[in-house]
């Protein structure tokens, strides 16, 4: 056995975890390291507090004098907690979080030093933007960028650093991060939804979007993970034969959480409590060593920050427990991959969840308006929504016969399907009093406020209504939720804006009553967005055929899917809703295409290296043992040796054919890579990586995995699936 593999297994078996006690109540820990409303009340002057709250609630600007006060109080608060540094914390388009620490410490002459933190440092910083992806903006515009304080997401302490959530934009104003367009989209949906709410309740002043993510992940022994170059460099295994037992028995799902994993979870959850991340649910997932963590939902911007922060601290805390967290969507072939369901809804400042059926006909009509407009938005922009979740790693789930499929559809359940059918039959134009009463009492009034959704049937749906929210299930486990949340909120904002215009027109021009106008517009929407509604099995080949007939797109890979980002319609949409300018949309597209190319390129190099430098030499070594064996048999048995060594000779031949299979395909892959690299056009290059380079991964893997079954376990260099997934 290779020394690394041997060492990893041995060390892992030595670990005999004991459940760690939790000393403090979680509710006592919650938000302790966050400069939240509570801390602000304590540390800020009345004026400063009011200024920040107005910024949070109504997006009002914070003036310089207030910013100085806030900074100074933040510093005082942080110093009481042993903090020495501060950083602007942001989410560039690399997919990770970024920070650059500065000490509070400053000298003021005469050998005197103080701790200082002023409004200007709180409000704005200038990190070197040239090291972050900017998709060509740099070539056309000013290279430098700056980060600017986002007061709607509270500052927090991690370790000994005060982290201030910020946006990250180019000097010329273009967004270079996930947060900026998200904030604009949330503003757009607030404006559009508030206007629609006024039909039903004049008191509504603000609508916020909520997000509850469900993070899936794998936990693998740190040394075992380190023994695999593919995991170290790509976050997933690129080869490895399935273990004899996979997830067939589902015994992990129902089983108790192993102590070692539980210790990790408890420390992670404690850290989350301190950081104000309201984590609530944890459980085993379907695959061995796969788990899920979910919080109580929050306002979308905060929820996105919290998920990014979580993904970061997960890795650090795992290391303390000798684990490596795998957030990749498909770390192991043959077992379930990981996703991150995004539960989404809209709610008013009067405390109403707009996607929950209400108790009165009027509140139900409001619910139906938001419900149907969301479906209509998804139908109109299904390709764009698909693009928002496209990545090289998520391609392993979408379009690879794993839930959910690459085709976007909406599941609403039996009861609401019936309601929509009845609404579709509403008379055009004015309604008779009898009709109106009938509608209100028997259709709208009869929507139960608790909806039974058949979870078995909606499991394969990428976008399912689950009683009081929509669940966007196609988001990848590694994704920054900012991207799908920006798109979802933008398309819903645009749809609600159009809805308002249509309803107003009917009221003004056709002299309809408000509710008649609403019914009329909704009826037409239901008719037009039928094709997106699907209650059946999302995996089946029949659905692919049917979806095609319905005109839904089925973009199975990232280069194809991303194109919808820069369609004329998408560019116009983002411009109209003031979420992204044309330049920003195009820059983002370029960054994502380039990320895809880089991703496949790295994987290709890693696989070539492992196949040639690890697998082939091992196979040759074992083959030599067999050759020696056959030679020995010949010596002993002389002419009879043929029958005695028949199987060994077959094996020697098999091994040779797999070695050949590897070498031939690795050569092909290198040639394909060279050809792809020579292409100047990035779309063509991405296509070449997708269709010419990537398919060879499967061929190379096939031969490597076959060799794993033939070659002596003692000398196999890579830690095996069964060892990574089943060592306890
Ligand atoms: P499950 O899907 O396991 O049955 P729930 O449906 O209660 O559990 O919640 C799943 C996730 O959805 C949780 O993260 C929860 O906070 C979130 N969620 C619940 N209600 C909303 C809402 N109105 N908006 C956004 N997320 C929500
Ligand atoms: Mg759920």
């Amino acid at each position: 056995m290779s020394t690394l593999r041997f060492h990893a297994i041995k060390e892992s078996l030595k670990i005999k975890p004991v459940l760690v006690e939790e000393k403090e109540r979680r509710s006592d820990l919650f938000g302790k390291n966050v400069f939240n409303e509570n801390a602000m009340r304590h540390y800020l002057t009345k004026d400063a507090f009011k200024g920040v709250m107005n910024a949070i609630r109504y997006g009002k600007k914070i003036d310089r004098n207030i910013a100085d006060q806030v900074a100074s109080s933040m510093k005082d608060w942080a110093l009481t907690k042993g903090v020495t540094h501060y950083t602007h914390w942001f989410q560039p388009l690399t997919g990770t979080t970024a920070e650059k620490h500065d000490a509070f410490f400053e000298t003021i002459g005469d050998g005197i030093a103080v701790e200082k933190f002023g409004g200007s440092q709180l409000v704005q910083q200038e990190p070197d933007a040239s090291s972050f992806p900017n998709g060509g903006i740099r070539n056309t515009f000013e290279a430098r960028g700056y980060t600017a304080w986002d007061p709607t997401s509270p500052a927090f302490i991690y370790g000994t650093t005060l982290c201030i959530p910020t946006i990250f934009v180019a000097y010329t104003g273009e967004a270079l991060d996930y947060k900026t367009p998200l904030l604009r989209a949330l503003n757009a949906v607030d404006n559009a939804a508030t206007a629609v709410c006024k039909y039903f309740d004049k008191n509504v002043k603000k609508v916020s979007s909520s997000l509850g993510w469900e993070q899936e992940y794998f936990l693998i022994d740190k040394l075992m993970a380190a023994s695999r170059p593919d995991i170290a460099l790509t976050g997933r295994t690129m080869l490895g034969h399935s273990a004899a037992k996979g997830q067939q028995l589902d015994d992990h799902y129902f089983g108790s959480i192993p102590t070692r994993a539980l210790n990790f979870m408890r420390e992670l959850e404690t850290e989350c409590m301190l950081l104000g991340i309201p984590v609530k649910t944890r459980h085993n997932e379907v695959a061995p060593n796969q788990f899920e963590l979910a919080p109580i939902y929050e306002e979308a911007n905060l929820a996105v920050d919290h998920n990014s922060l979580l993904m970061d601290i997960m890795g650090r805390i795992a290391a303390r427990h000798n684990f490596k967290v795998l957030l990749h969507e498909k770390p192991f072939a043959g077992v379930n991959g990981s996703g991150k369901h995004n539960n989404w809804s809209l709610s008013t400042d009067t405390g109403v969840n707009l996607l929950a059926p209400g108790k009165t006909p009027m509140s139900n009509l409001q619910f139906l308006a938001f419900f149907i407009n969301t479906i209509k938005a998804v139908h109109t922009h299904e390709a764009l929504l698909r693009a928002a979740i496209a990545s090289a790693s998520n391609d392993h789930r979408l379009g690879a016969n794993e839930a959910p499929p690459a085709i976007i559809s909406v599941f609403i359940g039996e009861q609401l399907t019936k309601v929509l059918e009845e609404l579709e039959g509403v008379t055009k134009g004015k309604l008779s009093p009898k009709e109106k009463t009938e509608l209100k009492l028997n259709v709208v009034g009869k929507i139960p406020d608790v909806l039974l959704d058949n979870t078995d049937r909606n499991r394969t749906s990428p976008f399912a209504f689950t009683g009081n929210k929509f669940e966007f299930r196609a988001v990848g486990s590694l994704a920054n939720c900012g991207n799908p949340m920006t798109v979802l909120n933008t398309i819903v904002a645009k749809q609600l804006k159009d809805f308002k215009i249509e309803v107003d027109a009917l009221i003004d021009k056709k002299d309809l009553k408000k509710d008649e106008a609403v019914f009329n517009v909704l009826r037409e929407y239901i008719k037009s967005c039928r094709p997106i509604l699907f209650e059946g099995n999302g995996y089946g080949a029949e659905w692919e055929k049917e979806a095609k007939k319905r005109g839904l797109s089925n973009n199975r890979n990232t280069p194809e899917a991303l194109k919808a980002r820069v369609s004329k319609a998408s560019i116009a949409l983002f411009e109209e809703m003031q979420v992204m300018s044309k330049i920003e949309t195009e820059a983002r597209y370029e960054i994502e295409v380039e990320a895809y190319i880089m991703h496949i390129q790295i994987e290709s190099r890693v696989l070539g290296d492992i196949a040639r430098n690890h697998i082939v030499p091992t196979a040759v070594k074992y083959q030599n043992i067999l050759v020696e064996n056959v030679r020995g048999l010949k010596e002993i048995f002389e002419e009879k040796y043929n029958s005695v060594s028949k199987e060994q000779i077959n094996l020697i031949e098999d091994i040779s054919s797999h070695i050949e299979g590897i070498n031939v395909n690795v050569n092909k892959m290198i040639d394909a890579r060279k050809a792809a690299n020579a292409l100047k056009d990035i779309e063509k290059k991405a296509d070449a990586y997708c269709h010419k380079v990537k398919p060879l991964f499967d061929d190379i893997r096939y031969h490597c995995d076959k060799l794993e079954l033939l070659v002596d376990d003692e000398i196999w260099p890579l830690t095996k699936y069964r060892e990574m997934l089943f060592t306890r």
Side-chain angles (χ1 to χ4, degrees), residues 25 41 115 133 187 192 336 418 566-567 569 636 691 698 700:
R25 227 189 269 184
R41 265 184 213 284
E115 322 289 339
N187 187 44
N336 203 41
K418 267 204 202 112
V566 280
S567 69
I636 297 169
H691 298 293
D698 291 339
I700 296 166

Side-chain angles (χ1 to χ4, degrees), residues 190-210:
D190 173 15
N191 291 337
T194 303
V196 170
C197 280
K198 300 244 193 256
Y199 287 139
F200 308 95
D201 180 358
K202 290 260 182 297
N203 296 320
V204 173
K205 287 198 190 61
K206 187 181 165 73
V207 171
S208 358
S209 169
S210 55

Side-chain angles (χ1 to χ4, degrees), residues 247-255 286:
Q247 61 190 46
Q248 301 91 337
L249 300 177
D250 255 2
D251 45 358
H252 312 275
Y253 197 67
F254 300 110
V286 187

Side-chain angles (χ1 to χ4, degrees), residues 209-214 280-281 283 292-298 341-347 353 355 455 466 468-471 473:
S209 169
S210 55
L211 164 65
W213 39 261
E214 304 170 48
K280 186 163 171 76
T281 309
H283 59 80
E292 182 184 299
L293 174 70
I296 297 167
Y297 67 92
E298 300 175 277
H341 295 178
N342 276 201
N343 295 273
W344 170 89
S345 186
L346 293 171
S347 56
N353 175 356
L355 286 167
T455 22
T466 48
N468 55 6
K469 61 189 184 288
F470 278 100
E471 191 166 335
R473 300 202 174 118

